[in-house]
Amino acid sequence: MQLPFFITVLIACLVHAMPVAAVPTRRAPNPNPGMITMPLKRLHNPRTDIHPQLLLQQHINRGQRRLARMAGRAEPSDHELRENLNKRMFMLENGPGSRVPGSTNDAVVSGSNFSRRRFRAGMAAAYGNSAPGGHHAKPAKGGAAMGAMNGTAGNTTTTSSGNVTVSGNGTTSANSTSSGVAEIDIQAATNGGLTPANAPTANNSLGLDIEADDVGYIATIQIGTPPKDFKILMDSGSADFWVGSENCQTATEGQSQGRRAQPQSGGGCGNHTFLGTQSSSSFVQSNQQFQVQYGSGAVAGVICQDNVNIAGLALNNHTFGVAELETVQFSGDTTPFDGLMGLAQSTLSEQNVSTPVESLASQGLISSAITSFKISRLADGLNDGEVTFGGLDATKFVASSLVTIPNVNQQGFWEGAVDAFTVNGTDAGLTGRTAILDTGTTLIMAPQQDATTIHQMLGGACDQQQCTIPCTTTSSLAISFGNASFAIDPRDLAVLPLDPNDPTGDCTSGIQAGSVGGANEWLVGDVFLKNAYFSTDVTKNQISLAKLTTS
Ligand SMILES: *[C@@H]1O[C@H](CO)[C@@H](O)[C@H](O)[C@H]1NC(C)=O
Ligand SMILES: *[C@@H]1O[C@H](CO)[C@@H](O)[C@H](O)[C@H]1NC(C)=O
Ligand SMILES: *[C@@H]1O[C@H](CO)[C@@H](O)[C@H](O)[C@H]1NC(C)=O
Ligand SMILES: *[C@@H]1O[C@H](CO)[C@@H](O)[C@H](O)[C@H]1NC(C)=O
Ligand SMILES: *[C@@H]1O[C@H](CO)[C@@H](O)[C@H](O)[C@H]1NC(C)=O
Ligand SMILES: *[C@@H]1O[C@H](CO)[C@@H](O)[C@H](O)[C@H]1NC(C)=O
Ligand SMILES: *[C@@H]1O[C@H](CO)[C@@H](O)[C@H](O)[C@H]1NC(C)=O
Ligand SMILES: *[C@@H]1O[C@H](CO)[C@@H](O)[C@H](O)[C@H]1NC(C)=O
Ligand SMILES: *[C@@H]1O[C@H](CO)[C@@H](O)[C@H](O)[C@H]1NC(C)=O
Ligand SMILES: *[C@@H]1O[C@H](CO)[C@@H](O)[C@H](O)[C@H]1NC(C)=O
Ligand SMILES: *[C@@H]1O[C@H](CO)[C@@H](O)[C@H](O)[C@H]1NC(C)=O
Ligand SMILES: *[C@@H]1O[C@H](CO)[C@@H](O)[C@H](O)[C@H]1NC(C)=O
C-alpha cells in the first residue's frame, strides 16, 4: 500500500520523537456544572500468549521511557529495553534463582507447567513465532525483533490449556499479604482484559474499568453521529486525545536502532472501534498531522472534529485526533481500549488543542478544569474506580484529609514536591524529591539510589535487572505531600510473584529503578495512586490528594 508522504515521514519520527516541551498557560474558569452518570460494559479479551512477568517487564520498560521523556532526557535505547526482556526470559526459563542466565534452554523450569508453557508462548509471541507451543522459541542475539516495542504482538491462540494454579484462595488472600499475591491478580495478569467498574457515585463522572491486574484505567465515552461507545485509557501523564481512524494501520517500530519502521500492509488496527466518515456523519478531518510518542508505543494521524460525549456532557464539534498509524501496543487485539485521553495540561499537547476537561470548562459545562481520580484495586473487589470532571466526588475521600499543593512542573505534567518517604514511619532521609503523578503508568519509577535505599528498608533488593520484594511483605512505604502521609498498601508493593506457582516467594516490586529520570524525580503511577484520591486543577495549577474513604 502506498502511503502519503507525510505519513512516511511521521513513521520515521515515531521511533525517536522529540521530547515534549512547552510553556504553561492558564485558562479562564467557567461556572455552571452539569450532572450525569454513565453505564459501563465488559470487554474480556483473554491474553494467553504472554507470561505475566514479561508483561510486567514491559511496564517497567514503559515507565523508564516515560520518565525519560518527562524528564527531557535521553531514553533508554531499544537495545537496553530488549536486554531487560531477554534477562527476564532467561529468569523465567530457569526459574527464580536457579540457573545462570544464558545457560542451555532445555533447563529445568521451576516445577511449574505454567512457567514453561507461558514462557514458551511468550517467547513465541515475542519473536513472532506463532507455532503452538512455541517449540522454536530460542533467545536470539540482536537480530530478533522483539522487546518493549513488540512484546504484545503475535498470536493469542496458543496455550489455552495452561491453567494457573496457586496455593491459597482469592477470598482469604485478597486483603492481606500473608498468603502472598492474590490469585485474582495472577489470573488477571494472565488473562488481560477489563474488569468493569460499577456505576459512578458522582455527577459528571465515568467509571474506570480496571485493565488486567491494575495495569491501566479505562472509561467509556461516546463519539460521532450516531454516538458510538469508545473505550479510552485515562492518562494524567499526557495531553492528547485520540481514537483510531477507520483508515488505521499498524506500524512497527524499533526493530533495530536507526532502522526505519514500516507499516504492516493491510494490518488494520485490531479488534477496536474506529472513527471516520463511514461511521459518523458529523466527522470532519483536516490535513493537519500530529504524532505522539508514549513510554511504550506511538501514534500518528490527523486532527479531526466530531461530537464527543463525556459522562453526558456534550462537546459538539470537538477538536482531537484520529490515529492513522498505531504501534501494536495500541492496535493489538489484546489492548482493551480504543484510544487515549490525555489529562495533563494542554501545554503538552502535540495536537496544540485544549484537553477535553479544558474544553468542558471553557464551554461552561463544568465549573472548573478539574479532573479527579479514584483509582481502584482489583483485589478489593469493589470496582469503584471513577474519574470525575469539574470537581471531586465527596463520597470517595475523607474531607478532613484533603491537602492541596502547587504543581511544580513547568511543562504541564502534574508534579508535586515530596516532603518525605517513610517505611513503617521511619524516614528514609530522601529530601528535595518531587513526584510526577501519572495514572497512565502502572508502577513507580524511582532514581536508582532511591530505589535501592527504599528496598533495603522494605526488606527487598534491587539489582541490575529489577527490584524485588517478598510477596508476603507487611511493610508499608508512605509518601508525604503537603504534610500528609499516604501509605501504600503492602499488596501494591508486591506486584507479581517471580514464580507464578509460588505466590509467597519473591515478587517483582511495585517500585522500580528508572535510572533515566532526574536525580530527584520520581514517576509515581497507579501503585501509589490506588492509595489516595487524586485531583488536578488546570486553572489553579495545583494538585489535591486525600485519604480514601475505603482505606
Ligand atoms: C504438569 O502437567 C502434567 C499434565 O499436563 C501433570 O501430570 C503434571 O503433574 C504437571 N506438573 C506440575 C508441576 O504441575
Ligand atoms: C512483531 O511481531 C509480529 C508478530 O509476532 C512479527 O510479525 C513482526 O515482525 C514483529 N515486528 C517487530 C518490529 O518486532
Ligand atoms: C495466527 O495464527 C493463525 C492460525 O494458526 C494464522 O493463520 C495467523 O497467520 C497467525 N497470525 C500471526 C500474526 O502470526
Ligand atoms: C483448566 O481449568 C479448567 C477449569 O478449572 C478445567 O476444566 C480444565 O480441564 C483445566 N485444563 C487443564 C489443562 O488443566
Ligand atoms: C479459602 O481458604 C480458607 C482457609 O485457608 C478457607 O477457610 C476458605 O473456606 C477458603 N475459601 C474458598 C472459597 O475456598
Ligand atoms: C477486603 O476489603 C474490602 C474493602 O476494603 C472489603 O469490602 C472486603 O470485605 C474485604 N474482604 C475480606 C475477605 O476481608
Ligand atoms: C446529580 O445532579 C442532580 C441534578 O442536579 C442532583 O439531583 C443529584 O443529587 C446529583 N447527584 C449527585 C450524586 O451529586
Ligand atoms: C472483538 O471484541 C468484541 C468485544 O469488544 C468481542 O465480542 C469479539 O469477540 C472480538 N472479536 C475477536 C475476533 O476477537
Ligand atoms: C467545527 O469546528 C471547526 C474548527 O473549529 C470549524 O471550522 C467548523 O466550522 C465547525 N463546524 C461546525 C458544524 O460547527
Ligand atoms: C503544533 O505547534 C507546533 C509549534 O507551533 C507545530 O510545529 C506543530 O506542527 C503543531 N501541530 C499541530 C498538530 O498543529
Ligand atoms: C512494618 O510493620 C509491619 C507490621 O505492621 C511489620 O510486619 C513489618 O515487619 C514492619 N517492617 C519493617 C521494615 O519494620
Ligand atoms: C507543612 O508544615 C510546615 C510546618 O508546619 C508548614 O510551614 C507548611 O506550610 C506546611 N505545608 C503545607 C502544604 O501545608
Side-chain angles (χ1 to χ4, degrees):
M1 165 173 281
Q2 192 64 42
L3 288 169
F5 174 71
F6 81 83
I7 292 287
T8 313
V9 172
L10 287 174
I11 299 165
C13 293
L14 283 175
V15 180
H16 298 292
M18 297 298 292
V20 283
V23 184
T25 58
R26 304 293 173 88
R27 282 165 202 280
N30 279 274
N32 182 23
M35 311 280 180
I36 296 9
T37 57
M38 306 252 329
L40 292 147
K41 69 179 196 187
R42 184 178 181 84
L43 170 77
H44 189 74
N45 211 348
R47 173 144 65 185
T48 53
D49 57 336
I50 311 244
H51 190 292
Q53 280 286 342
L54 291 184
L55 290 172
L56 192 61
Q57 184 64 53
Q58 288 161 14
H59 299 313
I60 296 171
N61 287 350
R62 181 189 303 179
Q64 286 207 23
R65 274 192 190 270
R66 208 167 166 111
L67 181 56
R69 296 187 61 75
M70 288 171 164
R73 301 199 169 208
E75 295 176 31
S77 69
D78 291 349
H79 174 75
E80 285 174 277
L81 296 180
R82 275 196 295 273
E83 278 299 300
N84 290 345
L85 268 174
N86 270 327
K87 285 175 189 161
R88 183 58 57 90
M89 287 174 174
F90 279 117
M91 195 173 72
L92 292 169
E93 172 78 343
N94 296 317
S98 63
R99 304 280 296 262
V100 180
S103 59
T104 173
N105 282 328
D106 282 334
V108 226
V109 277
S110 49
S112 146
N113 284 346
F114 173 84
S115 287
R116 181 179 284 272
R117 286 193 190 119
R118 300 292 165 172
F119 167 68
R120 297 276 186 206
M123 291 288 290
Y127 285 96
N129 173 358
S130 60
H135 296 301
H136 305 296
K138 185 178 173 212
K141 295 257 164 88
M146 57 145 306
M149 297 293 98
N150 201 20
T152 56
N155 250 320
T156 59
T157 55
T158 52
T159 68
S160 54
S161 62
N163 281 356
V164 185
T165 51
V166 290
S167 60
N169 61 43
T171 12
T172 52
S173 62
N175 282 9
S176 91
T177 58
S178 58
S179 13
V181 175
E183 183 180 354
I184 189 175
D185 280 320
I186 296 177
Q187 285 178 346
T190 310
N191 294 334
L194 293 184
T195 300
N198 295 328
T201 52
N203 289 320
N204 303 335
S205 300
L206 296 168
L208 287 177
D209 299 354
I210 304 170
E211 178 183 359
D213 53 333
D214 302 339
V215 160
Y217 293 85
I218 289 148
T220 302
I221 65 170
Q222 290 73 39
I223 309 177
T225 308
K228 269 196 307 185
D229 281 355
F230 286 78
K231 294 198 169 291
I232 307 291
L233 185 80
M234 305 306 266
D235 181 16
S236 68
S238 66
D240 289 286
F241 170 36
W242 58 265
V243 296
S245 158
E246 283 168 357
N247 305 317
C248 186
Q249 293 186 329
T250 295
T252 59
E253 63 169 333
Q255 277 182 302
S256 62
Q257 282 295 98
R259 191 163 144 193
R260 175 176 291 198
Q262 297 294 332
Q264 293 171 342
S265 55
C269 286
N271 185 19
H272 292 115
T273 302
F274 302 103
L275 186 65
T277 50
Q278 286 169 42
S279 59
S280 173
S281 61
S282 47
F283 176 85
V284 178
Q285 83 174 44
S286 72
N287 293 323
Q288 208 174 358
Q289 302 113 43
F290 76 96
Q291 55 102 1
V292 192
Q293 171 87 45
Y294 296 94
S296 82
V299 296
V302 294
I303 305 296
C304 68
Q305 277 99 31
D306 205 343
N307 300 337
V308 176
N309 194 303
I310 300 170
L313 304 169
L315 281 176
N316 290 324
N317 198 30
H318 182 64
T319 303
F320 57 108
V322 277
E324 304 201 315
L325 283 171
E326 298 177 2
T327 55
V328 71
Q329 292 87 352
F330 298 114
S331 67
D333 279 344
T334 54
T335 299
F337 53 88
D338 308 309
L340 187 147
M341 186 183 293
L343 292 164
Q345 297 183 20
S346 58
T347 47
L348 286 165
S349 169
E350 304 286 343
Q351 298 167 346
N352 299 339
V353 301
S354 298
T355 65
V357 70
E358 291 168 353
S359 295
L360 287 169
S362 65
Q363 295 188 20
L365 294 165
I366 56 175
S367 58
S368 196
I370 292 172
T371 312
S372 305
F373 300 90
K374 155 67 190 182
I375 300 297
S376 60
R377 180 184 296 110
L378 182 69
D380 285 343
L382 299 174
N383 302 330
D384 58 350
E386 179 188 80
V387 57
T388 299
F389 299 97
L392 292 78
D393 179 354
T395 69
K396 301 286 195 203
F397 65 95
V398 179
S400 61
S401 71
L402 186 73
V403 292
T404 298
I405 56 174
N407 180 21
V408 301
N409 191 279
Q410 301 297 306
Q411 295 171 287
F413 295 112
W414 298 112
E415 183 168 13
V418 176
D419 306 325
F421 295 89
T422 53
V423 174
N424 275 17
T426 302
D427 196 321
L430 308 178
T431 57
R433 304 301 195 267
T434 61
I436 297 170
L437 301 173
D438 181 8
T439 62
T441 289
T442 307
L443 304 176
I444 294 174
M445 308 300 292
Q448 182 85 49
Q449 187 53 53
D450 288 5
T452 301
T453 300
I454 295 291
H455 282 84
Q456 276 166 359
M457 293 179 74
L458 287 168
C462 297
D463 64 17
Q464 296 288 338
Q465 291 175 34
Q466 65 167 336
C467 300
T468 56
I469 193 169
C471 297
T472 53
T473 187
T474 49
S475 302
S476 176
L477 171 70
I479 310 181
S480 299
F481 296 94
N483 294 338
S485 178
F486 296 92
I488 300 172
D489 191 311
R491 289 176 292 162
D492 300 327
L493 294 177
V495 174
L496 211 53
L498 299 182
D499 176 353
N501 278 355
D502 186 9
T504 59
D506 275 339
C507 268
T508 300
S509 174
I511 304 162
Q512 295 293 331
S515 51
V516 288
N520 295 319
E521 194 170 38
W522 288 48
L523 173 58
V524 169
D526 300 318
V527 161
F528 172 78
L529 294 172
K530 282 183 273 186
N531 299 279
Y533 192 73
F534 168 44
S535 180
T536 65
D537 185 332
V538 175
T539 312
K540 295 183 173 165
N541 199 29
Q542 63 190 21
I543 299 164
S544 294
L545 291 163
K547 302 219 190 310
L548 296 167
T549 40
T550 50
S551 67

